Amino acid sequence: MIRRLTLFSLLAALLLVTACSSQSNEGGNAGSNAAPAPSSEASGNASETPAGTSGADFSEPVTLKLLFYTGQSQRLAEIAGKELKELVKKEINAQLDLTYLPWSEYGGGKTDLMLSSGEEFAAYTDINYLSKSVSKGLYADLTPYVDDYAPDLKSNVAAASFDAFKMNGKQYAIPVGNRASSAAFYSVMVRQDLLEEVGMSSVGSLAELEEYYDKVHAKHPDMIGFASADATYMLMYEYTDMNLNWINNFIAVNEAAEDDKLISWYESPEFKAYASLMNGWYKKGIIPKYAATNQPQLLSDWNVGKAMFYPGTATRPIEGIASITQAVPTAKLQNYFLNKNDRPKISRGTYNTAYFVSANAKHPERYVAFFNLLQKNQELYDFFTYGIKDKDYTIDEKGRIANLTSDLFFDDWMMMNDKFMRFETNVSDDFIEEYKHWDDDAILSKTAGFNFDNTKVKNEEAKLNGVYTEFVAPISSGFVDYDTYFPKTLEKLKAAGLDAYIAEYQRQFSEWSAGRPQS
């Protein structure tokens, strides 16, 4: 079902103004039970029923300004000028004004400038960015519009996903998508074809992963090992006995502990152990030397089949394979966990994206109505994800999809919803079965639904982010030695207000935890 991932970035990752995800639904369309697709263009077949309930009012034509963090393909531009334009006009009496920025502008940069200057638009958000922006009054309160303008989203996206983007009981972003998403980035995704080429069948430990690198490097010395500079999650099972999860760069929690204690990550012995592992990888060449100055090149090398492994998610082995197989037709990808043992996977929820509307928007309700279209029904899902049936894709008798164009529409990893998602014809039944059971042992993070109000420590937070970028990131990526550089870095973190920041986070989290219903 999934074509190619245009860009990766956790910890921010993701984003065209559509959506992703999925609701665990074994009777859904993830396998052979896909609903029949429309026989002609979606704009002509879209439901005559208004997107909202009787409370929705679409009588006034409006313009919706949507911000994307990826380029517009030629085919999407064509559809935006015709079928998409007609569909949105028909469904919610709106016109779309699409703007594109590079990913580097997400969560700051031009996005912050647009918000601060009072521009009207909608775009992707994560929980941390939401917390910061709401405290500044930059996001519209969407609570009054969810029931009337997003009834289908409420049915097709988990209620917990909506709760994740609330602050003080108010809805400040609309989640889209519902899919298996636990243990995101905790697995290592390897080139299975290379693994088998060097006589190995799987990797289950750090030692085996490094053995895989050594053997492949001996045969293919021009290939790089790790195509990222962040393995915090991926190596977690190796450097600690805890089951760690991270609230942000500075704070972690132990999901195995039945308490509300937050961990100051950079002051922990686990961070030292992790940084030492990464520094060893950098010295050995598993992380290439150019990563210190040109991290985007890592992803480029992965996408053209020049790297051996990468952080994994439930669906990444099929999300990224299309671009790699253009260069290496025999490439195969597989997820493995390193010494996970009996530690359950951690889930932050089943959503993959959420969208805010800026505070000065004249018609926030109509933006909510547009988000509703993205997951309203199978027909519209197929249109937003794949384009026009029989022109951009075909569907076989098992509900499997074959793409007829390599152009992206709305990024399908953001659109994924187990009720509607389709797998490509070349995806194995074994993978589909594994995907269906990916979340079987998952636990919901104790932090799910918690949103931090940074009002009291926003100055400290700004200073800490500056210290992180300049001093912490090179240590955590392994580019410099922990023992040599961390003592001074810790002094800078303390001077920036780390203790006050952690204390305020702990205070709010403890208060929130005390009021949370017990399972």
Side-chain angles (χ1 to χ4, degrees), residues 39-61:
S39 58
S40 61
E41 294 182 354
S43 59
N45 283 348
S47 170
E48 297 292 340
T49 305
T53 66
S54 58
D57 179 7
F58 300 133
S59 59
E60 180 183 352

Side-chain angles (χ1 to χ4, degrees), residues 56-100:
D57 179 7
F58 300 133
S59 59
E60 180 183 352
V62 302
T63 296
L64 306 179
K65 299 180 180 180
L66 305 174
L67 176 60
F68 298 80
Y69 296 97
T70 186
Q72 185 184 52
S73 71
Q74 180 179 345
R75 185 69 183 110
L76 178 56
E78 294 170 356
I79 288 180
K82 187 177 186 296
E83 291 89 356
L84 178 59
K85 180 179 180 180
E86 295 169 358
L87 184 148
V88 175
K89 174 67 176 176
K90 174 184 172 70
E91 290 277 342
I92 61 171
N93 196 18
Q95 177 176 318
L96 301 183
D97 180 355
L98 309 181
T99 299
Y100 296 88

Side-chain angles (χ1 to χ4, degrees), residues 163-204:
D163 292 342
F165 292 93
K166 289 180 178 178
M167 284 191 69
N168 300 318
K170 295 181 179 180
Q171 193 76 52
Y172 285 103
I174 304 297
V176 182
N178 218 357
R179 64 158 176 169
S181 59
S182 64
F185 319 120
Y186 284 80
S187 63
V188 55
M189 182 172 59
V190 306
R191 283 277 304 277
Q192 184 70 18
D193 55 306
L194 294 174
L195 192 70
E196 294 171 1
E197 180 185 341
V198 296
M200 299 177 68
S201 59
S202 64
V203 292

Side-chain angles (χ1 to χ4, degrees), residues 45 67 169 226-227 234 262 273 277 290 323 329 400 411 421 514:
N45 283 348
L67 176 60
F226 186 42
M234 195 181 83
L262 301 182
L277 284 174
Y290 70 70
S323 60
R400 299 294 195 90
D411 280 350
M421 62 189 287

